[in-house]
Amino acid sequence: MSSEKPKLDGWTCPIPLKHYPTVVMGHGSGGKMMADLIEHLFAPLLENELLAQYGDSTLFEVAGQGGRLAISTDSFVIQPLFFPGGDIGRLAINGTVNDVAMSGATPLYLTVGFILEEGLLMDDLGRIVNSFGTAAREAGVKIVAADTKVVNRGHGDGVFINTTGIGVVPPGVNIAAQNARPDDVILVSGTMGDHGMAIMSLREGLAFDSTIESDCAPLHTLVQAMLRVTHDIHCLRDATRGGLAAVLNELARASRVGVEIEETAIPVQPAVQSACEMLGLDPFYVANEGKLVAIVPRAQAEAVLEAMRQHPLGRQATIIGRVVDKHPGVVLTRTRIGALRVMDMPAGELLPRIC
Amino acid sequence: MSSEKPKLDGWTCPIPLKHYPTVVMGHGSGGKMMADLIEHLFAPLLENELLAQYGDSTLFEVAGQGGRLAISTDSFVIQPLFFPGGDIGRLAINGTVNDVAMSGATPLYLTVGFILEEGLLMDDLGRIVNSFGTAAREAGVKIVAADTKVVNRGHGDGVFINTTGIGVVPPGVNIAAQNARPDDVILVSGTMGDHGMAIMSLREGLAFDSTIESDCAPLHTLVQAMLRVTHDIHCLRDATRGGLAAVLNELARASRVGVEIEETAIPVQPAVQSACEMLGLDPFYVANEGKLVAIVPRAQAEAVLEAMRQHPLGRQATIIGRVVDKHPGVVLTRTRIGALRVMDMPAGELLPRIC
């Protein structure tokens, strides 16, 4: 038991697993020990009728066939495994739910691959899988396939999680990185940089008046609320690795348009701003895990913004800029003092292992 | 460049990547360096029109809608990364193609998540991704989504790969672990233990007259050949972790039937047999990556066997035993000297990191 960590949930180690205070190599070898792990840990926490097929593959059907499907895959290698506002299990659900949701799809099914390091505390694994299962239920997605591997001590890092998500795209929705048009309006759903600075503050041992919490959350119901206003949404991205700057640059390049942003319009929490200044980071380059960037036609912008603000995850939504036909592929920001500067693509390592 | 390894293919490092003899943390951070890796390595080797959407998720449609879908996920953590008969890239395609195929489905789409360790030779990564792309084309599956993460040196092991596969199950096919019935016949598609002993011989530095090669291969066309004979196939499993013994025990338990095997009927290569004796291992517990176990009604057995033998991956297919209504959940084998022994489920760590 790791008493220094906050108890996120009520998971207690079931008796048949108590022989193993930590994960050992045998838990990955396809025998009785792995069967124990599946029966007493994974199955009760992730169970549903599809996963219970226990086949080499799982059979499923997609409701309302005829529509297009959206699929996304993501591996999560974040350190530390537990952080204010979440843990790697919750992140692995929400990260992939959000990627699927950014095409306008309703996420339905997820697969999961765990890569465990020998020596991982069984109690930590239990808490992570419990949190993973809870986040899946909260997001309304079913785990349809799962795999576990164990690697030797010193050849992994506690736990890595891969999730792959599938969703159904409603008819008439056509959201893509290539769809931004001059005069479109650019919105963000809330404050920038929370997730990345929650992790960095923890790693660097920074203390503030208030703890910075990760914004880790599933965005699909926010997207659905926006789509109820209009299907005419051009681009959606969740601003993860590389932050807002990476998203705006990718969209500007993919759509061959220019982007102009009002720096003062971008919401940033004061604690995040302070932490960024202390570490010499720019919050617009820092990862989020529960915020999206939307590009919509000017005519729809106010109505979409209003719908976002009605949603618990979009209360601080705001318009931050516009799409222009000048300087295609380039993102310009107007700074506090009125100067224009280029908001370039992040180069390389800014915040490693943030997700 | 790693001159000691056999050159599996013609991959040469493209000029824009030559600045980086190894993978560095920045290749995982969502910026320019990652964009270089995608543009110059992943995209050319894995390209297709679906992956080229470059969205947070990929939109796709399933041909012949109305059928059931099969999905499977698997992470590959094998060491060493390159081995006689394959490498982790080829294994990551065939392993998931086979899991999807074991429901009778035609595998169509795969997603991939790479977890790279800082310091991995760029040349090794290139060879692995090239091999991965080649195996995907050979198996006729499209890579529809991809993700790359980089972890610090000493917190990974070169490369881990997760693949998730989706296939379409033909109407009228109902293959499941629960479907074995007394008097059914049990077949294997070829020799047992090749993959595991190829890896173990390499790790232990064993030398034989001939190199033991992994049987790593995609089995979906073999399954399709069997289904052309009859849709009345009860169970299919590829005998990976835990080998033949794990598969037979799982099927006996899931179907609540007994299994009786003729040990002398199970094909094992002489070099594999020798290596197993040297290391004190039982080939029936050793992993395969291109062999399947089938349980079919007695009336169909000969015709299915004949179809298997006509296929390049089933030339040594043979009948190894039968399903009985006695001793449900228990697998018995008749040994060379006529004695009956229990072929139990493998307990724990037999051959770690074999896949």
Side-chain angles (χ1 to χ4, degrees):
Chain A
M1 308 290 281
S2 48
S3 55
E4 77 276 16
K5 297 194 198 89
K7 199 75 185 167
L8 293 179
D9 50 63
W11 190 79
T12 50
C13 191
I15 286 161
L17 292 182
K18 283 198 186 280
H19 304 295
Y20 305 104
T22 72
V23 171
V24 298
M25 292 305 293
H27 284 124
S29 291
K32 273 182 189 148
M33 290 171 64
M34 174 173 263
D36 275 348
L37 204 61
I38 292 171
E39 181 181 346
H40 300 293
L41 196 151
F42 291 109
L45 295 176
L46 307 182
E47 68 191 338
N48 62 64
E49 75 289 359
L50 292 171
L51 194 60
Q53 292 176 27
Y54 288 114
D56 278 343
S57 53
T58 299
L59 300 185
F60 70 105
E61 291 178 44
V62 177
Q65 299 246 346
R68 294 156 299 159
L69 300 179
I71 190 165
S72 183
T73 194
D74 214 342
S75 302
F76 297 85
V77 300
I78 192 167
Q79 271 296 338
L81 300 174
F82 301 88
F83 48 84
D87 61 64
I88 191 172
R90 175 167 295 272
L91 188 64
I93 293 289
N94 292 338
T96 290
V97 160
N98 290 348
D99 282 340
V100 170
M102 293 306 125
S103 62
T106 304
L108 296 174
Y109 302 117
L110 252 74
T111 67
V112 59
F114 293 96
I115 299 177
L116 311 178
E117 184 190 9
E118 183 188 21
L120 173 69
L121 289 178
M122 189 62 76
D123 192 54
D124 282 352
L125 178 61
R127 292 166 63 213
I128 288 166
V129 178
N130 189 25
S131 167
F132 181 89
T134 302
R137 281 188 295 279
E138 286 172 4
V141 293
K142 280 186 182 166
I143 307 301
V144 290
D147 176 64
T148 304
K149 292 292 184 330
V150 181
V151 296
N152 322 69
R153 198 185 291 260
H155 294 278
D157 206 359
V159 53
F160 300 140
I161 304 178
N162 175 282
T163 46
T164 300
I166 296 177
V168 176
V169 187
V173 170
N174 177 23
I175 298 167
Q178 295 77 16
N179 290 357
R181 295 288 171 268
D183 205 41
D184 281 355
V185 169
I186 303 170
L187 304 94
V188 295
S189 64
T191 55
M192 291 287 109
D194 299 6
H195 175 74
M197 293 322 295
I199 306 303
M200 287 306 288
S201 301
L202 197 61
R203 286 194 203 152
E204 303 289 327
L206 300 185
F208 301 98
D209 291 346
S210 60
T211 305
I212 301 175
E213 292 214 344
S214 167
D215 56 345
C216 180
L219 292 168
H220 59 306
T221 59
L222 175 62
V223 172
Q224 286 156 11
M226 295 163 70
L227 286 172
R228 277 196 292 275
V229 173
T230 175
H231 279 193
D232 195 11
I233 291 173
H234 288 171
C235 310
L236 284 179
R237 284 270 163 131
D238 60 334
T240 56
R241 277 185 289 185
L244 177 65
V247 167
L248 293 176
N249 274 281
E250 283 163 16
L251 297 178
R253 288 175 195 190
S255 294
R256 298 161 199 269
V257 294
V259 162
E260 292 186 5
I261 297 295
E262 293 294 327
E263 199 169 297
T264 52
I266 305 171
V268 179
Q269 285 193 57
V272 169
Q273 188 68 50
S274 303
C276 279
E277 282 167 12
M278 221 171 279
L279 297 171
L281 296 170
D282 181 336
F284 309 149
Y285 287 78
V286 175
N288 310 276
E289 288 292 344
K291 300 290 161 51
L292 61 79
V293 179
I295 299 186
V296 301
R298 179 167 299 277
Q300 315 287 357
E302 284 299 331
V304 170
L305 178 63
E306 189 50 37
M308 291 171 78
R309 287 183 172 163
Q310 299 292 325
H311 190 281
L313 295 174
R315 282 203 203 97
Q316 292 181 271
T318 189
I319 292 172
I320 62 163
R322 62 198 183 103
V323 177
V324 297
D325 57 6
K326 291 174 291 186
H327 52 81
V330 173
V331 180
L332 293 182
T333 57
R334 189 177 308 275
T335 66
R336 267 157 238 276
I337 55 165
L340 279 177
R341 70 174 176 98
V342 174
M343 183 188 272
D344 208 353
M345 191 77 171
E349 175 188 359
L350 188 64
L351 301 171
R353 303 189 57 188
I354 213 76
C355 61
Chain B
M1 308 289 281
S2 48
S3 56
E4 76 276 17
K5 299 196 195 88
K7 198 78 186 167
L8 294 178
D9 50 64
W11 190 78
T12 49
C13 191
I15 286 161
L17 293 182
K18 282 198 188 279
H19 304 294
Y20 306 105
T22 73
V23 171
V24 298
M25 291 305 292
H27 284 124
S29 291
K32 273 183 191 146
M33 290 172 63
M34 174 172 264
D36 275 348
L37 204 62
I38 293 171
E39 181 181 346
H40 300 291
L41 195 151
F42 290 109
L45 295 175
L46 307 182
E47 68 190 338
N48 63 64
E49 74 289 0
L50 292 171
L51 195 59
Q53 292 176 27
Y54 289 114
D56 278 344
S57 53
T58 300
L59 300 186
F60 70 105
E61 290 179 44
V62 178
Q65 299 245 346
R68 293 157 299 160
L69 301 179
I71 190 164
S72 184
T73 193
D74 214 342
S75 302
F76 297 86
V77 300
I78 192 167
Q79 271 296 336
L81 300 175
F82 300 89
F83 49 83
D87 61 64
I88 192 170
R90 175 166 295 271
L91 188 64
I93 293 290
N94 292 338
T96 291
V97 161
N98 289 348
D99 282 340
V100 171
M102 292 307 125
S103 62
T106 304
L108 296 175
Y109 301 116
L110 252 72
T111 66
V112 59
F114 293 96
I115 299 177
L116 311 178
E117 185 191 9
E118 183 188 21
L120 173 69
L121 289 179
M122 190 60 77
D123 192 54
D124 282 352
L125 177 61
R127 291 165 65 211
I128 288 166
V129 178
N130 190 25
S131 168
F132 181 88
T134 303
R137 281 187 295 278
E138 286 172 5
V141 293
K142 280 185 182 167
I143 308 301
V144 290
D147 176 65
T148 304
K149 292 292 185 328
V150 181
V151 296
N152 321 70
R153 197 185 290 261
H155 294 279
D157 206 0
V159 53
F160 300 139
I161 304 179
N162 175 281
T163 46
T164 300
I166 296 177
V168 176
V169 186
V173 170
N174 177 23
I175 298 167
Q178 295 78 17
N179 291 357
R181 295 287 170 269
D183 206 41
D184 281 355
V185 170
I186 302 169
L187 304 95
V188 294
S189 64
T191 55
M192 291 287 110
D194 299 6
H195 175 74
M197 294 323 295
I199 306 303
M200 286 307 288
S201 302
L202 196 61
R203 285 194 203 154
E204 303 289 328
L206 300 185
F208 302 97
D209 292 345
S210 60
T211 304
I212 302 175
E213 292 214 343
S214 167
D215 56 346
C216 181
L219 292 168
H220 60 305
T221 59
L222 175 62
V223 172
Q224 286 157 10
M226 295 163 70
L227 287 172
R228 277 195 293 273
V229 174
T230 175
H231 279 191
D232 196 11
I233 291 174
H234 288 171
C235 309
L236 284 180
R237 283 271 165 130
D238 60 335
T240 55
R241 276 185 289 184
L244 177 65
V247 167
L248 293 176
N249 275 281
E250 283 164 16
L251 297 179
R253 289 175 195 190
S255 294
R256 298 162 198 270
V257 294
V259 162
E260 291 185 5
I261 297 295
E262 294 295 326
E263 198 168 297
T264 53
I266 304 171
V268 178
Q269 285 194 57
V272 170
Q273 188 68 51
S274 303
C276 279
E277 283 166 11
M278 221 171 278
L279 297 171
L281 297 170
D282 181 335
F284 309 148
Y285 287 78
V286 174
N288 310 276
E289 288 292 345
K291 300 293 161 49
L292 61 80
V293 179
I295 299 186
V296 301
R298 180 166 298 279
Q300 315 287 358
E302 283 300 331
V304 170
L305 179 63
E306 188 51 35
M308 290 170 79
R309 287 183 171 163
Q310 298 293 325
H311 190 281
L313 295 174
R315 283 205 201 94
Q316 292 182 271
T318 189
I319 292 171
I320 62 162
R322 63 199 181 101
V323 178
V324 297
D325 56 5
K326 289 175 294 187
H327 53 81
V330 174
V331 180
L332 293 181
T333 57
R334 189 176 308 276
T335 65
R336 267 157 237 276
I337 56 167
L340 278 176
R341 69 174 176 99
V342 174
M343 184 188 273
D344 207 354
M345 191 75 170
E349 175 187 358
L350 187 63
L351 301 171
R353 303 191 53 189
I354 213 76
C355 61

